[in-house]
Amino acid sequence: MNDAAPAPSSASVPEPRSRARVRAPELRGRSWINTGGEELSLAELRGRTVILDFWTFCCINCLHVIDELRELEERHKDTVVVVGVHSPKFVHEAEHAAVVDAVERYGVAHPVLDDPELATWKQYAVRAWPTLVVIDPEGYVVAQHAGEGHVHAIERRVTELEAEHGAKGTLRRGRAPFTPPEPVAGELRFPGKVLALPGGTFLVSDTTRHQVVELAADGETVLRRIGSGERGLADGAAEAVRFNEPQGLALLPGGEVLVADTVNHALRRLDPATGAVVTVAGTGAQWWQGAPTEGPAREVALSSPWDVAWFEGRVWVAMAGVHQLWTYDPESGTVAAAAGTTNEGLVDGPAAEAWFAQPSGLAVAADGSRLWVADSETSALRWIERERAHGAGGAGSSGADGRTGGGFVVRTAVGTGLFDFGHRDGPADQALLQHPLGVTALPDGSVAVCDTYNHALRRYDPATGEVSTLATELREPSGAVLAPGASGEADGAPEIVVVESARHRLTGLRLPEDAVRVEGVAHRTQRAATEVAPGALRLDVVFQAPAGQKLDTRYGPATRLVVSSTPPELLAEGEGTGTELHREVRLSGTEGTEGVLHVSAMAASCDEEGEYPACHMHQQDWGVPVRLTAGGADRLPLVLAGLDG
């Protein structure tokens, strides 16, 4: 990290207090998945190292961790058992069938505890998705990590535990208790996005099968499959190419198709005539803080690109993994961050200063003036457009080319923040969505929203500022496209073709003349607010460099802490950026006041040994719901890595 401030003293990272060994609480939840119907207990797993992965299937960082763990699970398959503890954020995620679907959709190859009431989450005092807890073969908690990027440290700890408990005789080898789901036949399996081709056919990202599929005009008949069906990153002819959970599709001006190859962190160019695929952006590795955010497209890492759209002379990318929008310029072969700071939340304003939360759907307005964005984790519909007040360049612009957010501004049509969601129509400032993944521009200037976790297709009309419901009883709609005349009607009236991801099909719907109005209900996350005392509050981010590593102070401070709140007036003092991982803040409000503390922490470490020591970045963003309560806590510990004393 480059910073002009002096390197932090050892006090920057508080030393752990002495503590007794903590026995891991037993696992409690509704039911188990991937175990063949058997219930598991920590007692049964004694003798193995157990890694608890607290996740929820809406969370892109959680999906990153599932992928990070795959190789560790394989290398230590006879000594380690990974147990996913599914701890839902959204109401839909508390449905057992939805969790079962998610386990298959994302290829989770270990036992999963479905815990809709967050019983185990509370027992382990977890405060963030994802969180990893390491339990030794004797049943004691030995490490905790929040966020992603910790697998290198966990694997080292696992190796140490193998040696230690092998010597003690307390290590028990054997295969993990895992029973995979039965394969299901069908043309598609959890498809993601759809694109209408000029010839009247459709391209669909068949996400779980790692393919792109061309369907006939009926939306059902398979014409061809592009991709071998195996996970991987390989270019070539249609039958040999490999994808890894592809999602978004966009038609380029030259007639080629750009594919957001999500888990490969890459953009792929597909020739519809031949089916040949070539990688045009991304390195195949995930982008991390401190890495370049612009440059030659094949030399800059990306992070879970989820959707793509052609807007303002280039491809815009919903970079879900880092809560940003990026651009890709096919002519120059370059990429650049265009909007968002990488902080997770809902903040409007100049593009370079805006906050997003896992943008997952893009669509260009019928008149080309706006790029609509489905911002899934804030359950929001947002848009980006040129900042008219300052001309094409805009205040603080780096030019008219869209790089670094210059000349563009972000605004919100529907949505208020990370923890408020539901299904309610009416004025946009009161309407609610639940984790939307797709948007589609309609000819009249309005926009259809795939309201994924409400199983609905919604409509927002900028002319009236009203939100209505076009269709219900869809199953996890994740993308849609207009297909005039696609239903074969003689009048050629518009039809919208929706990807029903959890029904594994495309569904054609006639756009109704009169939309339904749903009064609906409002929800908040199952996660309980943390009760804190009004006034002084000490924020402590717990970070202990993993064994064999030390803080990396070669280029300045090794740690950074950013604090803000929603609403902003909740924080009377303590907002802003600093290099210490602890801060005294002051909360303003009366008894019962609620809000969210946004805390972002980073710590850089490097290996202590080796001529060229590897460096590691540890990062996590917390959105902590709080309620001011007399007698509430005056300290809020957030574990980045280590154990809180």
Side-chain angles (χ1 to χ4, degrees), residues 541-562:
V541 173
V542 177
F543 177 76
Q544 294 137 25
Q549 296 179 27
K550 62 182 179 181
L551 287 176
D552 184 2
T553 58
R554 292 172 297 170
Y555 307 109
T559 57
R560 188 180 76 170
L561 180 65
V562 184

Side-chain angles (χ1 to χ4, degrees), residues 7 12 44 47 89 157 173 184 248 334 363 434 448 460 487 545 548 562 571:
S12 298
E44 294 170 19
K89 170 184 174 181
R157 192 74 178 97
R173 295 180 180 272
V184 180
T334 57
Q434 187 181 179
Y460 167 68
S487 64
V562 184
L571 265 181

Side-chain angles (χ1 to χ4, degrees), residues 115-178:
D115 182 20
E117 301 298 327
L118 303 184
T120 298
W121 166 289
K122 294 170 186 173
Q123 284 278 74
Y124 282 82
V126 175
R127 297 186 186 275
W129 295 280
T131 290
L132 295 166
V133 175
V134 181
I135 301 170
D136 74 12
E138 293 181 294
Y140 292 95
V141 174
V142 294
Q144 182 170 330
H145 301 265
E148 52 187 294
H150 299 292
V151 169
H152 64 279
I154 291 174
E155 182 151 26
R156 178 164 182 150
R157 192 74 178 97
V158 163
T159 302
E160 292 172 346
L161 291 170
E162 286 175 347
E164 175 188 344
H165 290 273
K168 290 173 63 176
T170 50
L171 184 69
R172 180 167 59 90
R173 295 180 180 272
R175 297 303 298 263
F178 167 61

Side-chain angles (χ1 to χ4, degrees), residues 561-564 571 574-578 583:
L561 180 65
V562 184
V563 181
S564 62
L571 265 181
E575 182 180 9
T577 302
R583 187 175 304 177

Side-chain angles (χ1 to χ4, degrees), residues 9 19 21 177 181 192-193 212 227 229 237 258-259 273 309 326 426 431 437-438 498 510 515 552-553 564 629:
S9 68
R19 54 183 170 268
R21 297 178 74 195
K193 304 289 185 183
V212 174
L258 201 68
V259 181
W326 285 40
L437 290 178
V498 180
R510 307 289 290 180
D552 184 2
T553 58
S564 62
T629 306

